[in-house]
Every structure is written in structure tokens, then in C-alpha cells.
Amino acid sequence: MRIPGEAMGRLTDIQIRAWIKADERFEGRADGEGLYLRFRENDNVPSWRYRYRFDGKQRVMNLGTYAKVSLAEARRIAKELSARVSLGHDVAGEKQEKKREALARIEEARNALTVAQLADEYFERNILGRWKHPNIVRSRIENDIKPAMGKMRADSVKPRDVDAMLQTVLKRGARTVANDVLRWTKRILDYGIKRQVLETNPASAFDLGDAGGREESRDRWLTAEEIGKLFAAIRDKAGTFTIENHYAVRLLLMLAVRKEELIAATWPEFDLDNAVWHLPEERTKTGTPIDIPLPALAVDTLRELKRLAAGSAYVFPARKMQNRMIPHVDLNTLNAALGKHIKPVLAADGVPNFTIHDFRRTARTHLAALGVEPHIAERCLNHKIKGVEGIYNRHDYFEQRRIALNLWASFLENLERGSAWNVVPMKQARKA
């Protein structure tokens, strides 16, 4: 079939260039084998078309412009297409289908969430504003999950990726952290199923046996000798273990508070002139506020930290740019510093491994040894008093706690200085 106005016979490059130079416009000039050239009024350059019949209908497909596809290349393509048509292929339809599939893949990739994006969304929707200590979860996401799988598409994560992440954590000897990482990874990926980002949870087959194992109740506490060795190691590593880390260890031991309570503390909570820390309810595990009496050494330490904070609202401000702009130092910073600089020295000196949470048990054990009555020692750790006494006795024992913590602070100060620990037990002190 001849297109009206088209010239029959093979085209030549000389003819095509002449038409372009003369700006001669046409609907179609045939070359044979279904190939023809079109140069419409609005076209910048002529374009190649391939025309054929399929299932009784005429079909046309674009092969590209003359500027990009030469006459010889257009003939080669047309010949190949003709051969496929003769074998029963709808070449234009197949091209459109491939284009749709490619666009669908591009759109899918554009809309796909990475593990990092999914974790951030989960954190914002399910943790932030609901948990008292959201930064505990944020720490696991930023320090363990994102470095291992953050850049991966959430729907491409495989069980081997989860296992590799857990093994990386276990190599640090952080069994409890490995368990936490597994728990939060499962929850984040379950959330991804709800969001229809993925169909199955690649972490679902894992249990605590694949991570840190079942967690037994810990009874580790540091003896007076071990505390002395701890502070000696800190002094020896003063060039690499920062003074802020040193002060954090001192305050955690002295005040027996939880790490997240101290690390996220802000200066408005402290009345240093009256030696009181007003710890608000939203940052306590018990959900009730508590006034913590501050020994003189704690006040001096906090005043120095305030100078080092250089105007920050946080006692331990972020030391560098962190993900999501967490304003205070990351919760894992002190753990990492102890693990890198201090614990190897202590291990070589025969001191068994310990965790920061063991500092609270250490304080409780030594308070008992110093003669502090059990209910007062429990309140020093902000533990609720158990049983009937806890229901009816709302007395906060502030003055008794002040005496107890001052006694404990004197004990620690002697150990930190490397002096003999000749502190008078609390009961004897009261008798005197």
C-alpha cells in the first residue's frame, strides 16, 4: 500500500539531507520492508517509522530520529522486525509492553522504602511520643540496624542479611544489644508488612538463640578494688577517654541513676546551689518524679560539665553531627568508649567484664555494706518500695538519701584518688 505523496523505491542519504536542507515536509517517504521516513511540520528532524499488519490491523512503531539512527541502521532494524512479524510477533505491542514494564519498575523503585526509611517511619509513628525513653530505640536503629542494612531496599532483605547484622553485634561481645537489635528489627519489618512494603518478615525465623541467647538475671557488681582499677585505667587513658566520659562514669556510680536518665539530662533539671537534681517523671522508668540529693563532688562535677557544655541545654551535648540531630550524646557513646579504651586494660588486669547497668547494682551493694538501711538504699536507686509498706509509706526519705549518697560519694572519691577507703558506715556515723 502506498502512502499518498510518498516516493517509491529506496531512499538515499543524499536525498534525505537535501529534504532537510530545503525544509521539505512530508508524511512519509518509503524505503521498503515497511520502513519509511516522516518529516512533519512540527518535527525538528525526520524520524523513522516501521509499518506492518498484525491480526488484520495496521500497526506502526517509532524507530528513532534520523539524527540518531542512520539509514543503514534503520534498514537493519526494519529487516529484523519484519522477520519477527512473519513469525507471529506483534513487535509494536511488545515494545509498548516492555516500556510499561520498565516504567512500572522505575515507579516501584522510586516508591520503594529502604530499611533506613522504614525504620525512621516506624520510629516516628510507633515510638516517638509514646515511649518514655525513645532514644534507646533510636540508638539501636542508628548504631546497629542502619549501618548493616540501612541502604538496602526493605523488600530485598534476606535472612542472611539479618544474620550478618547479628553476628557483627555479637563480635563486639554485646549479647544483650544483639537481642535488642533482633527484637526491633522484627518489629520494624512487621511494620513494613502492614505498610505493604514487603510481604514476609525475613527476621521472623530468628529467636534469641540466634542473637545473644536467653538473658539471665545479672548479679555482677564491682568490688572496691575493681572500682579503684576502673578509675586508674581512666586516668591512664586520659588522652583518649574524654573528660566527659570520665565524669559520666563518676556520676553514674555516685548517683546510681540509669544511663539514659543522666545522658539525656538538661540543665533546668538541676538546682546546683541547693544540690538537688529534679528528675522529671517523663524520664524515669517508674513514671514518677524524684528529687535526687547531690553530694558535693557531684555538684563540682556538674559545674565543670556545665562549663564544658558551652551554653548547651544538655549536660552531655552531642559532640558531633548525628543522625536525626539528637541534641545530646548518643546513648551508645559511653559503652563504646569503655569497650575500646578501658575494658581491655581492666581485662588484662584480671577484672571480669561488666556493663554500665552494673553500676547501679554496684552502688546498691556498697550502700548495704556502708550500713544504709534497705528501704533507703532502694529509694537511692529510685526503686519503688515493695509490699504493704510501699503502698502506705509515701515518705521519700530525702534527708536519709542525702546522708547515704554523701557517704557513698566519699567512699568513691577515696577509690578514685587511689586512697584507702576508711569511710565510717552510716549506722556508726549516726551514733557518733
Side-chain angles (χ1 to χ4, degrees), residues 132-195:
K132 289 181 183 177
H133 306 294
N135 284 328
I136 296 176
V137 183
R138 170 54 58 194
S139 179
R140 296 282 69 81
I141 291 174
E142 299 295 342
N143 295 322
D144 301 294
I145 297 174
K146 281 188 178 181
M149 303 190 302
K151 295 181 180 180
M152 298 177 62
R153 280 180 46 162
D155 59 0
S156 70
V157 175
K158 300 290 187 289
R160 63 175 176 269
D161 302 313
V162 177
D163 183 60
M165 174 179 61
L166 295 176
Q167 294 306 313
T168 298
V169 177
L170 289 172
K171 285 179 182 178
R172 306 199 313 255
R175 294 177 56 198
T176 301
V177 172
N179 286 342
D180 287 342
V181 169
L182 177 58
R183 291 188 188 102
W184 291 114
T185 299
K186 282 186 173 183
R187 294 176 188 180
I188 291 167
L189 296 178
D190 277 342
Y191 171 77
I193 294 175
K194 294 178 183 179
R195 283 273 282 102

Side-chain angles (χ1 to χ4, degrees), residues 47 68 71 74 85 108 119 166 207 215 234 236 295 321 324 341 346 369 379 385 401 411 427 430:
S47 59
K68 295 182 178 180
L71 174 58
V85 170
E108 180 184 358
L166 295 176
D207 57 30
E215 298 175 23
I234 289 175
D236 291 342
M321 188 68 68
R324 303 182 62 79
H341 303 295
L346 296 177
R379 288 304 295 147
I385 300 174
R401 287 190 289 118
F411 184 84
K427 290 181 180 179
R430 282 200 299 269

Side-chain angles (χ1 to χ4, degrees), residues 265-272 276-280 306 312-315:
T266 61
W267 289 115
E269 298 172 13
F270 292 88
D271 181 354
L272 297 181
V276 182
W277 177 7
H278 303 290
L279 184 58
K306 193 166 188 178
S312 172
Y314 286 84
V315 177

Side-chain angles (χ1 to χ4, degrees), residues 130-402:
R130 299 186 181 187
W131 285 62
K132 289 181 183 177
H133 306 294
N135 284 328
I136 296 176
V137 183
R138 170 54 58 194
S139 179
R140 296 282 69 81
I141 291 174
E142 299 295 342
N143 295 322
D144 301 294
I145 297 174
K146 281 188 178 181
M149 303 190 302
K151 295 181 180 180
M152 298 177 62
R153 280 180 46 162
D155 59 0
S156 70
V157 175
K158 300 290 187 289
R160 63 175 176 269
D161 302 313
V162 177
D163 183 60
M165 174 179 61
L166 295 176
Q167 294 306 313
T168 298
V169 177
L170 289 172
K171 285 179 182 178
R172 306 199 313 255
R175 294 177 56 198
T176 301
V177 172
N179 286 342
D180 287 342
V181 169
L182 177 58
R183 291 188 188 102
W184 291 114
T185 299
K186 282 186 173 183
R187 294 176 188 180
I188 291 167
L189 296 178
D190 277 342
Y191 171 77
I193 294 175
K194 294 178 183 179
R195 283 273 282 102
Q196 300 182 26
V197 174
L198 60 161
E199 295 182 0
T200 60
N201 187 334
S204 61
F206 291 81
D207 57 30
L208 294 183
D210 302 304
R214 187 174 299 277
E215 298 175 23
E216 303 293 341
S217 179
R218 291 180 59 85
D219 57 6
R220 176 77 169 101
W221 58 279
L222 279 69
T223 65
E225 182 181 7
E226 290 173 336
I227 295 172
K229 289 182 177 181
L230 169 61
F231 282 117
I234 289 175
R235 285 195 301 272
D236 291 342
K237 293 290 183 177
T240 53
F241 194 76
T242 68
I243 190 64
E244 291 90 349
N245 287 335
H246 179 170
Y247 289 161
V249 170
R250 177 191 289 171
L251 290 172
L252 286 169
L253 275 168
M254 188 184 307
L255 303 179
V257 294
R258 296 173 177 86
K259 179 180 66 174
E260 57 271 19
E261 292 171 344
L262 178 65
I263 296 301
T266 61
W267 289 115
E269 298 172 13
F270 292 88
D271 181 354
L272 297 181
D273 291 335
N274 292 305
V276 182
W277 177 7
H278 303 290
L279 184 58
E281 61 183 70
E282 63 269 17
R283 293 204 309 100
T284 65
K285 187 174 182 179
T286 60
T288 56
I290 185 171
D291 288 342
I292 301 173
L294 298 173
L297 180 59
V299 173
D300 291 342
T301 302
L302 286 163
R303 289 192 189 280
E304 180 61 14
L305 281 168
K306 193 166 188 178
R307 183 187 68 81
L308 294 170
S312 172
Y314 286 84
V315 177
F316 293 94
R319 300 171 192 172
K320 60 182 180 180
M321 188 68 68
Q322 298 178 151
N323 290 329
R324 303 182 62 79
M325 295 297 290
I326 299 173
H328 56 75
V329 71
D330 190 273
L331 292 177
N332 196 50
T333 296
L334 185 57
N335 303 60
L338 283 168
K340 182 177 181 180
H341 303 295
I342 306 302
K343 288 187 178 182
V345 176
L346 296 177
D349 199 19
V351 177
N353 186 44
F354 60 88
T355 69
I356 291 177
H357 192 70
D358 294 333
F359 288 171
R360 283 167 56 80
R361 193 177 300 104
T362 298
R364 179 65 178 83
T365 302
H366 286 285
L367 284 170
L370 290 169
V372 177
E373 295 181 38
H375 61 284
I376 296 174
E378 287 296 296
R379 288 304 295 147
C380 284
L381 272 68
N382 196 17
H383 284 166
K384 292 182 178 180
I385 300 174
K386 298 179 180 179
V388 176
E389 183 183 2
I391 296 174
Y392 292 102
N393 189 347
R394 300 300 182 186
H395 182 41
D396 209 28
Y397 302 104
F398 182 86
E399 280 304 313
Q400 292 90 333
R401 287 190 289 118
R402 181 184 61 78

